[in-house]
PDB file of all heavy atoms in Angstrom:
ATOM      1  N   ASN A 928     -22.338   6.246   6.185  1.00  0.00           N
ATOM      2  CA  ASN A 928     -21.827   7.623   5.778  1.00  0.00           C
ATOM      3  C   ASN A 928     -20.603   8.027   6.708  1.00  0.00           C
ATOM      4  O   ASN A 928     -19.683   8.507   6.189  1.00  0.00           O
ATOM      5  CB  ASN A 928     -22.976   8.591   5.951  1.00  0.00           C
ATOM      6  CG  ASN A 928     -22.709   9.917   5.283  1.00  0.00           C
ATOM      7  OD1 ASN A 928     -22.393   9.986   4.130  1.00  0.00           O
ATOM      8  ND2 ASN A 928     -22.780  10.990   6.137  1.00  0.00           N
ATOM      9  N   GLY A 929     -20.801   7.750   8.006  1.00  0.00           N
ATOM     10  CA  GLY A 929     -19.722   8.086   8.935  1.00  0.00           C
ATOM     11  C   GLY A 929     -18.488   7.258   8.813  1.00  0.00           C
ATOM     12  O   GLY A 929     -17.464   7.697   9.261  1.00  0.00           O
ATOM     13  N   LYS A 930     -18.577   6.170   8.112  1.00  0.00           N
ATOM     14  CA  LYS A 930     -17.409   5.261   7.915  1.00  0.00           C
ATOM     15  C   LYS A 930     -16.797   5.424   6.525  1.00  0.00           C
ATOM     16  O   LYS A 930     -15.962   4.665   6.176  1.00  0.00           O
ATOM     17  CB  LYS A 930     -17.768   3.840   8.170  1.00  0.00           C
ATOM     18  CG  LYS A 930     -18.126   3.580   9.648  1.00  0.00           C
ATOM     19  CD  LYS A 930     -18.575   2.144   9.892  1.00  0.00           C
ATOM     20  CE  LYS A 930     -18.831   2.001  11.392  1.00  0.00           C
ATOM     21  NZ  LYS A 930     -19.898   1.024  11.690  1.00  0.00           N
ATOM     22  N   ASN A 931     -17.264   6.436   5.801  1.00  0.00           N
ATOM     23  CA  ASN A 931     -16.714   6.671   4.481  1.00  0.00           C
ATOM     24  C   ASN A 931     -15.156   6.859   4.565  1.00  0.00           C
ATOM     25  O   ASN A 931     -14.653   7.768   5.220  1.00  0.00           O
ATOM     26  CB  ASN A 931     -17.353   8.013   3.953  1.00  0.00           C
ATOM     27  CG  ASN A 931     -16.680   8.567   2.723  1.00  0.00           C
ATOM     28  OD1 ASN A 931     -15.951   7.785   1.997  1.00  0.00           O
ATOM     29  ND2 ASN A 931     -16.813   9.769   2.440  1.00  0.00           N
ATOM     30  N   PRO A 932     -14.406   5.988   3.820  1.00  0.00           N
ATOM     31  CA  PRO A 932     -12.951   6.069   3.982  1.00  0.00           C
ATOM     32  C   PRO A 932     -12.273   7.060   2.940  1.00  0.00           C
ATOM     33  O   PRO A 932     -11.116   7.224   2.953  1.00  0.00           O
ATOM     34  CB  PRO A 932     -12.561   4.655   3.592  1.00  0.00           C
ATOM     35  CG  PRO A 932     -13.555   4.179   2.705  1.00  0.00           C
ATOM     36  CD  PRO A 932     -14.823   4.811   3.111  1.00  0.00           C
ATOM     37  N   LEU A 933     -13.084   7.668   2.091  1.00  0.00           N
ATOM     38  CA  LEU A 933     -12.530   8.536   1.049  1.00  0.00           C
ATOM     39  C   LEU A 933     -13.000   9.950   1.141  1.00  0.00           C
ATOM     40  O   LEU A 933     -13.912  10.425   0.461  1.00  0.00           O
ATOM     41  CB  LEU A 933     -12.877   7.931  -0.349  1.00  0.00           C
ATOM     42  CG  LEU A 933     -12.177   6.659  -0.605  1.00  0.00           C
ATOM     43  CD1 LEU A 933     -12.868   5.885  -1.726  1.00  0.00           C
ATOM     44  CD2 LEU A 933     -10.730   6.869  -0.976  1.00  0.00           C
ATOM     45  N   TRP A 934     -12.370  10.642   2.174  1.00  0.00           N
ATOM     46  CA  TRP A 934     -12.683  12.053   2.472  1.00  0.00           C
ATOM     47  C   TRP A 934     -12.790  12.877   1.212  1.00  0.00           C
ATOM     48  O   TRP A 934     -11.872  12.761   0.336  1.00  0.00           O
ATOM     49  CB  TRP A 934     -11.695  12.602   3.431  1.00  0.00           C
ATOM     50  CG  TRP A 934     -11.773  14.002   3.858  1.00  0.00           C
ATOM     51  CD1 TRP A 934     -12.814  14.437   4.632  1.00  0.00           C
ATOM     52  CD2 TRP A 934     -10.944  15.049   3.616  1.00  0.00           C
ATOM     53  NE1 TRP A 934     -12.656  15.825   4.890  1.00  0.00           N
ATOM     54  CE2 TRP A 934     -11.464  16.209   4.213  1.00  0.00           C
ATOM     55  CE3 TRP A 934      -9.782  15.223   2.870  1.00  0.00           C
ATOM     56  CZ2 TRP A 934     -10.860  17.468   4.141  1.00  0.00           C
ATOM     57  CZ3 TRP A 934      -9.139  16.462   2.766  1.00  0.00           C
ATOM     58  CH2 TRP A 934      -9.722  17.559   3.423  1.00  0.00           C
ATOM     59  N   VAL A 935     -13.756  13.714   1.044  1.00  0.00           N
ATOM     60  CA  VAL A 935     -14.033  14.667  -0.057  1.00  0.00           C
ATOM     61  C   VAL A 935     -14.343  13.965  -1.314  1.00  0.00           C
ATOM     62  O   VAL A 935     -15.330  14.310  -2.025  1.00  0.00           O
ATOM     63  CB  VAL A 935     -12.887  15.637  -0.252  1.00  0.00           C
ATOM     64  CG1 VAL A 935     -13.158  16.547  -1.410  1.00  0.00           C
ATOM     65  CG2 VAL A 935     -12.614  16.443   0.999  1.00  0.00           C
ATOM     66  N   VAL A 936     -13.585  12.946  -1.697  1.00  0.00           N
ATOM     67  CA  VAL A 936     -13.895  12.287  -3.043  1.00  0.00           C
ATOM     68  C   VAL A 936     -15.213  11.586  -3.032  1.00  0.00           C
ATOM     69  O   VAL A 936     -16.001  11.675  -3.994  1.00  0.00           O
ATOM     70  CB  VAL A 936     -12.747  11.291  -3.351  1.00  0.00           C
ATOM     71  CG1 VAL A 936     -13.051  10.459  -4.603  1.00  0.00           C
ATOM     72  CG2 VAL A 936     -11.463  12.070  -3.605  1.00  0.00           C
ATOM     73  N   ILE A 937     -15.593  10.903  -1.943  1.00  0.00           N
ATOM     74  CA  ILE A 937     -16.941  10.404  -1.750  1.00  0.00           C
ATOM     75  C   ILE A 937     -17.545  11.447  -0.803  1.00  0.00           C
ATOM     76  O   ILE A 937     -17.158  11.555   0.399  1.00  0.00           O
ATOM     77  CB  ILE A 937     -16.968   8.994  -1.162  1.00  0.00           C
ATOM     78  CG1 ILE A 937     -16.484   7.998  -2.105  1.00  0.00           C
ATOM     79  CG2 ILE A 937     -18.428   8.656  -0.755  1.00  0.00           C
ATOM     80  CD1 ILE A 937     -16.418   6.576  -1.685  1.00  0.00           C
ATOM     81  N   PRO A 938     -18.455  12.318  -1.330  1.00  0.00           N
ATOM     82  CA  PRO A 938     -18.803  13.535  -0.607  1.00  0.00           C
ATOM     83  C   PRO A 938     -19.821  13.389   0.484  1.00  0.00           C
ATOM     84  O   PRO A 938     -20.919  13.883   0.483  1.00  0.00           O
ATOM     85  CB  PRO A 938     -19.407  14.428  -1.726  1.00  0.00           C
ATOM     86  CG  PRO A 938     -19.927  13.380  -2.678  1.00  0.00           C
ATOM     87  CD  PRO A 938     -19.031  12.188  -2.629  1.00  0.00           C
ATOM     88  N   CYS A 939     -19.397  12.729   1.563  1.00  0.00           N
ATOM     89  CA  CYS A 939     -20.319  12.513   2.696  1.00  0.00           C
ATOM     90  C   CYS A 939     -20.669  13.875   3.401  1.00  0.00           C
ATOM     91  O   CYS A 939     -21.630  13.958   4.106  1.00  0.00           O
ATOM     92  CB  CYS A 939     -19.757  11.510   3.712  1.00  0.00           C
ATOM     93  SG  CYS A 939     -18.183  11.955   4.429  1.00  0.00           S
ATOM     94  N   HIS A 940     -19.842  14.865   3.133  1.00  0.00           N
ATOM     95  CA  HIS A 940     -20.128  16.152   3.681  1.00  0.00           C
ATOM     96  C   HIS A 940     -21.370  16.792   3.156  1.00  0.00           C
ATOM     97  O   HIS A 940     -21.927  17.779   3.705  1.00  0.00           O
ATOM     98  CB  HIS A 940     -18.892  17.152   3.484  1.00  0.00           C
ATOM     99  CG  HIS A 940     -18.543  17.372   2.004  1.00  0.00           C
ATOM    100  ND1 HIS A 940     -17.738  16.517   1.330  1.00  0.00           N
ATOM    101  CD2 HIS A 940     -18.918  18.377   1.188  1.00  0.00           C
ATOM    102  CE1 HIS A 940     -17.664  16.913   0.061  1.00  0.00           C
ATOM    103  NE2 HIS A 940     -18.368  18.081  -0.032  1.00  0.00           N
ATOM    104  N   ARG A 941     -21.850  16.272   2.000  1.00  0.00           N
ATOM    105  CA  ARG A 941     -23.069  16.795   1.396  1.00  0.00           C
ATOM    106  C   ARG A 941     -24.346  16.268   2.067  1.00  0.00           C
ATOM    107  O   ARG A 941     -25.455  16.606   1.576  1.00  0.00           O
ATOM    108  CB  ARG A 941     -23.084  16.542  -0.085  1.00  0.00           C
ATOM    109  CG  ARG A 941     -21.951  17.178  -0.865  1.00  0.00           C
ATOM    110  CD  ARG A 941     -21.855  16.886  -2.326  1.00  0.00           C
ATOM    111  NE  ARG A 941     -20.700  17.442  -2.921  1.00  0.00           N
ATOM    112  CZ  ARG A 941     -20.088  16.960  -4.060  1.00  0.00           C
ATOM    113  NH1 ARG A 941     -20.676  15.937  -4.672  1.00  0.00           N
ATOM    114  NH2 ARG A 941     -19.036  17.499  -4.474  1.00  0.00           N
ATOM    115  N   VAL A 942     -24.232  15.411   3.034  1.00  0.00           N
ATOM    116  CA  VAL A 942     -25.425  14.879   3.671  1.00  0.00           C
ATOM    117  C   VAL A 942     -25.670  15.664   4.973  1.00  0.00           C
ATOM    118  O   VAL A 942     -24.799  15.872   5.789  1.00  0.00           O
ATOM    119  CB  VAL A 942     -25.270  13.392   3.996  1.00  0.00           C
ATOM    120  CG1 VAL A 942     -26.535  12.843   4.637  1.00  0.00           C
ATOM    121  CG2 VAL A 942     -24.960  12.618   2.782  1.00  0.00           C
ATOM    122  N   ILE A 943     -26.851  16.171   5.106  1.00  0.00           N
ATOM    123  CA  ILE A 943     -27.299  17.026   6.189  1.00  0.00           C
ATOM    124  C   ILE A 943     -28.512  16.512   6.892  1.00  0.00           C
ATOM    125  O   ILE A 943     -29.115  15.597   6.386  1.00  0.00           O
ATOM    126  CB  ILE A 943     -27.523  18.508   5.716  1.00  0.00           C
ATOM    127  CG1 ILE A 943     -28.615  18.557   4.631  1.00  0.00           C
ATOM    128  CG2 ILE A 943     -26.151  19.098   5.163  1.00  0.00           C
ATOM    129  CD1 ILE A 943     -29.079  19.958   4.207  1.00  0.00           C
ATOM    130  N   GLY A 944     -28.914  17.100   8.031  1.00  0.00           N
ATOM    131  CA  GLY A 944     -30.138  16.739   8.708  1.00  0.00           C
ATOM    132  C   GLY A 944     -31.333  17.104   7.879  1.00  0.00           C
ATOM    133  O   GLY A 944     -31.314  17.998   7.011  1.00  0.00           O
ATOM    134  N   SER A 945     -32.503  16.490   8.195  1.00  0.00           N
ATOM    135  CA  SER A 945     -33.701  16.788   7.467  1.00  0.00           C
ATOM    136  C   SER A 945     -34.114  18.255   7.605  1.00  0.00           C
ATOM    137  O   SER A 945     -34.799  18.825   6.783  1.00  0.00           O
ATOM    138  CB  SER A 945     -34.815  15.834   7.966  1.00  0.00           C
ATOM    139  OG  SER A 945     -34.531  14.583   7.603  1.00  0.00           O
ATOM    140  N   ASP A 946     -33.726  18.894   8.752  1.00  0.00           N
ATOM    141  CA  ASP A 946     -34.097  20.290   8.962  1.00  0.00           C
ATOM    142  C   ASP A 946     -33.061  21.240   8.430  1.00  0.00           C
ATOM    143  O   ASP A 946     -33.153  22.422   8.680  1.00  0.00           O
ATOM    144  CB  ASP A 946     -34.246  20.486  10.532  1.00  0.00           C
ATOM    145  CG  ASP A 946     -33.046  20.232  11.305  1.00  0.00           C
ATOM    146  OD1 ASP A 946     -31.994  19.838  10.685  1.00  0.00           O
ATOM    147  OD2 ASP A 946     -32.970  20.379  12.593  1.00  0.00           O
ATOM    148  N   GLY A 947     -32.092  20.717   7.652  1.00  0.00           N
ATOM    149  CA  GLY A 947     -31.105  21.577   7.098  1.00  0.00           C
ATOM    150  C   GLY A 947     -29.834  21.767   7.950  1.00  0.00           C
ATOM    151  O   GLY A 947     -28.955  22.482   7.593  1.00  0.00           O
ATOM    152  N   SER A 948     -29.822  21.190   9.133  1.00  0.00           N
ATOM    153  CA  SER A 948     -28.722  21.332  10.038  1.00  0.00           C
ATOM    154  C   SER A 948     -27.533  20.581   9.618  1.00  0.00           C
ATOM    155  O   SER A 948     -27.612  19.573   9.022  1.00  0.00           O
ATOM    156  CB  SER A 948     -29.169  21.003  11.477  1.00  0.00           C
ATOM    157  OG  SER A 948     -29.474  19.558  11.542  1.00  0.00           O
ATOM    158  N   LEU A 949     -26.354  21.084  10.022  1.00  0.00           N
ATOM    159  CA  LEU A 949     -25.068  20.350   9.900  1.00  0.00           C
ATOM    160  C   LEU A 949     -25.084  19.288  10.956  1.00  0.00           C
ATOM    161  O   LEU A 949     -24.983  19.682  12.173  1.00  0.00           O
ATOM    162  CB  LEU A 949     -23.922  21.236   9.986  1.00  0.00           C
ATOM    163  CG  LEU A 949     -23.769  22.320   8.840  1.00  0.00           C
ATOM    164  CD1 LEU A 949     -22.431  23.060   9.038  1.00  0.00           C
ATOM    165  CD2 LEU A 949     -23.818  21.710   7.491  1.00  0.00           C
ATOM    166  N   THR A 950     -25.098  18.041  10.646  1.00  0.00           N
ATOM    167  CA  THR A 950     -24.992  16.988  11.620  1.00  0.00           C
ATOM    168  C   THR A 950     -23.608  16.306  11.542  1.00  0.00           C
ATOM    169  O   THR A 950     -22.838  16.630  10.696  1.00  0.00           O
ATOM    170  CB  THR A 950     -26.141  15.957  11.361  1.00  0.00           C
ATOM    171  OG1 THR A 950     -26.023  15.458  10.046  1.00  0.00           O
ATOM    172  CG2 THR A 950     -27.546  16.604  11.539  1.00  0.00           C
ATOM    173  N   GLY A 951     -23.426  15.417  12.402  1.00  0.00           N
ATOM    174  CA  GLY A 951     -22.140  14.745  12.613  1.00  0.00           C
ATOM    175  C   GLY A 951     -21.233  14.668  11.344  1.00  0.00           C
ATOM    176  O   GLY A 951     -21.736  14.397  10.262  1.00  0.00           O
ATOM    177  N   TYR A 952     -19.982  14.797  11.576  1.00  0.00           N
ATOM    178  CA  TYR A 952     -18.983  14.761  10.560  1.00  0.00           C
ATOM    179  C   TYR A 952     -17.661  14.330  11.135  1.00  0.00           C
ATOM    180  O   TYR A 952     -17.180  15.029  11.997  1.00  0.00           O
ATOM    181  CB  TYR A 952     -18.853  16.102   9.785  1.00  0.00           C
ATOM    182  CG  TYR A 952     -17.956  15.991   8.489  1.00  0.00           C
ATOM    183  CD1 TYR A 952     -18.377  15.265   7.455  1.00  0.00           C
ATOM    184  CD2 TYR A 952     -16.760  16.731   8.503  1.00  0.00           C
ATOM    185  CE1 TYR A 952     -17.561  15.271   6.338  1.00  0.00           C
ATOM    186  CE2 TYR A 952     -15.966  16.677   7.349  1.00  0.00           C
ATOM    187  CZ  TYR A 952     -16.348  15.914   6.241  1.00  0.00           C
ATOM    188  OH  TYR A 952     -15.634  15.900   5.174  1.00  0.00           O
TER     189      TYR A 952
END
Side-chain angles (χ1 to χ4, degrees):
N928 191 58
K930 292 178 178 145
N931 169 21
L933 291 160
W934 180 67
V935 177
V936 172
I937 294 180
C939 60
H940 61 277
R941 295 179 188 156
V942 182
I943 59 173
S945 294
D946 62 358
S948 64
L949 295 183
T950 55
Y952 188 66

